[in-house]
């Protein structure tokens, strides 16, 4: 019982440090989250992202609620959009 408690505690603590390792693996990325693009039309958001950071070559529109892969890519930003093609979640690198 005590061992499993320690393992769970370790995993919880390790999950807190994930954002630090993500930024370290993408040295060319200046910002990993783009909250200023929330509520912006997807086309304008895509242009803004590509102009600000040309290393982000894959800017994808994804319908909000659709399943996506969990792999991490330094060149990708997913724009979660609604039916009107408005960004409804904060875009982030990955």
């Amino acid at each position: 019982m005590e061992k499993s408690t320690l393992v769970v505690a370790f995993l919880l603590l390790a999950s807190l440090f994930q954002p630090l390792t993500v930024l370290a693996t993408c040295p060319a990325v200046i910002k990993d989250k783009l909250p200023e693009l929330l509520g912006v039309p997807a086309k304008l958001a895509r242009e803004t992202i590509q102009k600000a950071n040309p290393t982000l070559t894959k800017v994808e529109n994804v319908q909000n609620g659709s399943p996506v892969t969990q792999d991490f890519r330094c060149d990708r930003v997913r724009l979660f959009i609604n039916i009107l093609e408005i960004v409804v979640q904060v875009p982030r690198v990955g």
Side-chain angles (χ1 to χ4, degrees):
M1 180 73 175
E2 187 177 313
K3 254 187 182 179
S4 62
T5 305
L6 290 174
V7 169
V8 170
F10 173 77
L11 292 175
L12 288 172
L13 285 173
S15 69
L16 295 174
F17 293 105
Q18 183 181 7
L20 297 176
T21 59
V22 167
L23 286 177
T25 59
C26 296
V29 175
I30 298 166
K31 290 176 63 176
D32 66 331
K33 295 179 188 171
L34 304 153
E36 64 273 11
L37 298 178
L38 189 62
V40 173
K43 185 176 180 180
L44 178 62
R46 177 181 293 106
E47 292 169 358
T48 303
I49 291 168
Q50 290 174 335
K51 189 182 294 183
N53 197 341
T55 61
L56 299 172
T57 57
K58 285 190 59 94
V59 182
E60 306 171 343
N61 285 356
V62 179
Q63 194 68 30
N64 193 33
S66 298
V68 293
T69 60
Q70 295 297 315
D71 62 323
F72 184 84
R73 293 183 53 162
C74 290
D75 64 341
R76 177 178 63 202
V77 174
R78 289 185 176 126
L79 299 175
F80 289 94
I81 60 171
N82 62 12
I83 294 173
L84 301 174
E85 294 193 4
I86 302 294
V87 178
V88 294
Q89 290 185 28
V90 175
R92 62 180 60 210
V93 175

